[in-house]
Amino acid sequence: MELDEITISRAILASQMDVLIDHMELDVAVVGAGPAGLTCAALIAEQGFRVGIIEKKLSIGGGMWGGGMMFPRIVVQEEARRLLDRFGIRSTVYKEGYYVAKSIEAVSKLAAAACDAGAEFFNLIMVEDVMIKADGRVSGLVINWTAVGMGNLHVDPLVMGCRYTVDATGHDAVVARLVEKKGGDIEVKGESFMWADRAESRILEHTREIFPGLVVAGMAANAVAGESRMGPIFGGMLLSGEHAARLVIQKMKE
Ligand code: 48H
């Protein structure tokens, strides 16, 4: 059989268009495919919910992909080691309580878990606004191609509906800032200085529903709370993603 280029192109267009239309109404939108977002998406999708992961970049993994200063290794503390094991991410002990894993393996295995659980990735798409209507909840995300933003093109966006949104956009806490900017009653304090122990020990209390329908996870949770940063230790990101998933699952089942 001779391969036909037009059929290949049609296959890509038809299949992705079906997926997009099918995901215009999500149970949970996870914004950001860094470690917190991937963990959260995988665990929620495992419970059978319709989960979309919206990532503005071409690549996934956020700040985990590059490890520490481009050395592709991450450190995870004792408390989060069970999550490495859960996702099949191999690690070695460096010193008591400090586990080292390969950053690329970690991202790949989290992403594989999210895929296997049925979460759908929408990369190269950025969230540029939120939808909040009479019920006062974040009930949708205003999305556009990242390239539209990069090209500074005046192209109107589309909207994806969602029952819950997880802001896992990292240091910038983009979704939370949008809500704040548009008059939502929240304050995004911005992250504080480096203090790994403090940042990691407090991230779970900062991982919460900050506005109806909007949960913050990972570095975004610390940024909203004005909490410290922690450098390339990633246990808190995994634990925060897991905690956000628990919160959302509980709310969805209420
Ligand atoms: C769609 C978006 C948008 C948008 C951003 O930065 P991340 O890796 O976030 P976390 O919280 O999972 O992990 C943080 C960790 O990587 C880190 O940076 C640490 C531990 N730093 C400590 C320190 O001291 O520096 O991933 C966020 C993702 C990225 O991939 C962004 O591209 C994406 O969110 N994103 N996606 N629409 N508007 N904004």
Side-chain angles (χ1 to χ4, degrees):
M1 191 188 76
E2 192 180 334
L3 289 173
D4 169 34
E5 295 80 358
I6 309 302
T7 302
I8 296 167
S9 301
R10 279 206 176 106
I12 288 171
L13 285 177
S15 116
Q16 188 60 14
M17 203 57 80
D18 282 350
V19 170
L20 267 170
I21 291 169
D22 202 38
H23 286 75
M24 281 293 111
E25 281 183 287
L26 295 167
D27 289 322
V28 185
V30 176
V31 189
L38 290 174
T39 305
C40 184
L43 296 176
I44 298 173
E46 276 177 11
Q47 297 298 307
F49 293 109
R50 179 179 294 258
V51 178
I53 306 167
I54 299 137
E55 169 53 54
K56 74 173 179 183
K57 292 193 176 153
L58 172 60
S59 59
I60 56 162
M64 194 191 242
W65 194 248
M69 215 182 94
M70 296 205 288
F71 295 94
R73 295 286 186 278
I74 56 166
V75 171
V76 168
Q77 63 274 47
E78 188 65 54
E79 293 83 343
R81 192 181 143 207
R82 64 181 172 78
L83 284 168
L84 293 180
D85 295 343
R86 188 192 195 287
F87 290 106
I89 302 165
R90 294 167 302 169
S91 63
T92 53
V93 188
Y94 175 70
K95 208 175 161 185
E96 195 190 340
Y98 295 81
Y99 298 88
V100 180
K102 296 177 180 180
S103 61
I104 290 171
E105 177 177 342
V107 171
S108 305
K109 289 190 171 163
L110 290 173
C115 289
D116 288 349
E120 195 66 52
F121 282 88
F122 298 98
N123 65 336
L124 291 167
I125 293 179
M126 62 180 181
V127 172
E128 63 169 53
D129 205 347
V130 292
M131 182 166 80
I132 300 176
K133 300 209 285 193
D135 63 0
R137 293 176 61 79
V138 173
S139 56
L141 298 175
V142 181
I143 55 168
N144 216 327
W145 299 113
T146 302
V148 166
M150 290 168 79
N152 203 18
L153 306 175
H154 187 170
V155 178
D156 268 4
L158 296 177
V159 177
M160 245 176 187
C162 45
R163 291 168 65 193
Y164 263 90
T165 297
V166 178
D167 182 350
T169 59
H171 295 262
D172 295 333
V174 176
V175 185
R177 280 192 195 280
L178 283 167
V179 173
E180 181 190 37
K181 189 175 132 196
K182 298 268 169 113
D185 189 18
I186 57 168
E187 187 192 359
V188 181
K189 293 185 176 158
E191 79 186 31
S192 186
F193 41 77
M194 176 79 81
W195 186 347
D197 192 60
R198 192 171 106 167
E200 290 286 288
S201 64
R202 296 191 180 175
I203 195 164
L204 289 191
E205 69 192 69
H206 302 317
T207 303
R208 59 188 185 87
E209 187 170 359
I210 56 163
F211 189 86
L214 177 63
V215 170
V216 277
M219 201 58 219
N222 273 13
V224 168
E227 188 56 81
S228 287
R229 63 188 298 190
M230 68 294 285
I233 181 156
F234 281 83
M237 299 303 121
L238 306 177
L239 291 166
S240 172
E242 178 190 49
H243 190 58
R246 273 203 206 110
L247 292 176
V248 170
I249 291 164
Q250 191 188 335
K251 294 278 185 180
M252 302 277 293
K253 287 184 174 168
E254 271 172 11

